[in-house]
Amino acid sequence: MSAAVLVVGSANADLVVPVDRRPGGGETVLGGDTALSPGGKGANTAVAAGKLGADVALLGAVGDDPYGRLLRDSLSNAGVDTQFVRTVDRPTGIAYITVTPDGENSILVSPGANSALEPGDITDEALDGVRVLVASLEVPLPTVERAVVRARENGVRVLLNLSPAAEVSPETLAALDVLLVNEHEAAYLLDSEDADPRKLLELGPRAAVVTLGAEGAAVLEGDKSTTVESPKVEAVDTTGAGDAFAGALAAALADGADLVESAGRAVKVAAVTVTRRGAQPSYPTAAELE
């Protein structure tokens, strides 16, 4: 039997360099010391849920290398089931991240092993007993779309974190219980910076959550829009905050909370995360949230 929450997504090693400013084209900028930490949108989401006590598994792929072992260890230490994490004949994915003094980051991802995750990996065994499936888009789109449709067919609640932004099929959007996007991803989907976020529901999902950074999140259900405010914190590193939100949201939904309550929990988790450096190492436990 699988876990209550199944995450379909990437696992990357994060190489993080602090910089005073990002280089322009053809420019060299000196940064601080490189920090290595486990990351990747899928693994981050799973670890965030696991640290909160959720029964969670990751379906993903890593290479047979030190980065892959680092990721497996981090997942296991957070209580994440790794039986559906394949080891493949490609290097583990790597994210190259620069972080400026205001906590904002820029990220270049080399997918590596994540590109080997195939639609055929979405099996009945992986979906057995799952209550919430959450997927993100650092793995091949056909695999994500297969996961969404298969989960829907199996009566699983489906959450898609549309990050990085990509064009997904109308069938996939229509199969979603919750579409999770930030403001930039919402603008991409609606092809406008100024469009009413409620138009996201016209694309097919039954509900949508738009994360608003320091302002919290907007929960869109039917003709109702609810703003969930974030605690005010001093951000030092926003790396992985959106993934922490996704993991906390999925964990709360699997626990039986409604969408607004789940978003409230997720906002608190993300707020703690940005006050600490790194992705997975910054995620709070349930006890720390109290």
Side-chain angles (χ1 to χ4, degrees):
M1 177 173 280
S2 187
V5 177
L6 179 65
V7 179
V8 176
S10 60
N12 294 323
D14 286 350
L15 299 179
V16 185
V17 181
V19 292
D20 289 332
R21 61 180 180 83
R22 295 179 187 88
E27 181 185 17
T28 298
V29 170
L30 292 180
D33 292 346
T34 299
L36 167 65
S37 68
K41 289 187 176 296
N44 288 350
T45 299
V47 166
K51 282 190 167 184
L52 294 171
D55 176 20
V56 58
L58 175 68
L59 194 156
V62 296
D64 183 14
D65 51 37
Y67 291 148
R69 291 186 280 279
L70 168 79
L71 283 155
R72 284 187 178 276
D73 288 346
S74 179
L75 289 161
S76 296
N77 290 340
V80 178
D81 185 340
T82 60
Q83 66 174 308
F84 301 116
V85 178
R86 289 200 294 126
T87 298
V88 301
D89 190 23
R90 293 188 66 170
T92 298
I94 298 177
Y96 302 90
I97 304 171
T98 59
V99 181
T100 48
D102 61 0
E104 285 298 319
N105 58 57
S106 293
I107 305 174
L108 170 66
V109 175
S110 172
N114 296 302
S115 296
L117 200 61
E118 300 172 350
D121 293 320
I122 312 300
T123 61
D124 288 337
E125 181 189 6
L127 291 169
D128 181 36
V130 174
R131 292 201 290 273
V132 175
L133 178 135
V134 53
S136 51
L137 295 172
E138 283 182 342
V139 295
L141 185 56
T143 303
V144 172
E145 296 194 321
R146 171 76 167 169
V148 167
V149 172
R150 284 293 302 278
R152 185 70 187 169
E153 292 171 349
N154 281 266
V156 176
R157 195 167 190 179
V158 184
L159 190 164
L160 175 63
N161 182 13
L162 196 88
S163 180
E167 193 169 325
V168 296
S169 70
E171 293 78 14
T172 300
L173 288 169
L176 299 179
D177 291 290
V178 182
L179 171 66
L180 173 61
V181 290
N182 63 23
E183 293 171 283
H184 303 296
E185 292 148 4
Y188 171 87
L189 275 178
L190 298 173
D191 199 25
S192 170
E193 294 284 346
D194 304 316
D196 185 343
R198 285 174 292 192
K199 289 186 177 293
L200 289 169
L201 299 186
E202 296 176 10
L203 302 177
R206 274 156 287 288
V209 176
V210 182
T211 57
L212 307 171
E215 302 305 312
V219 179
L220 313 172
E221 302 173 283
D223 58 0
K224 185 174 70 172
S225 176
T226 306
T227 300
V228 179
E229 293 189 359
S230 172
K232 300 305 177 191
V233 297
E234 191 72 36
V236 298
D237 184 0
T238 60
T239 304
D243 307 328
F245 186 102
L249 187 70
L253 290 172
D255 202 31
D258 66 30
L259 189 55
V260 171
E261 182 184 352
S262 297
R265 294 190 203 176
V267 158
K268 291 175 184 174
V269 169
V272 172
T273 295
V274 301
T275 66
R276 305 169 176 179
R277 299 203 177 276
Q280 293 174 28
S282 73
Y283 297 165
T285 63
E288 286 176 313
L289 275 188
E290 297 302 324

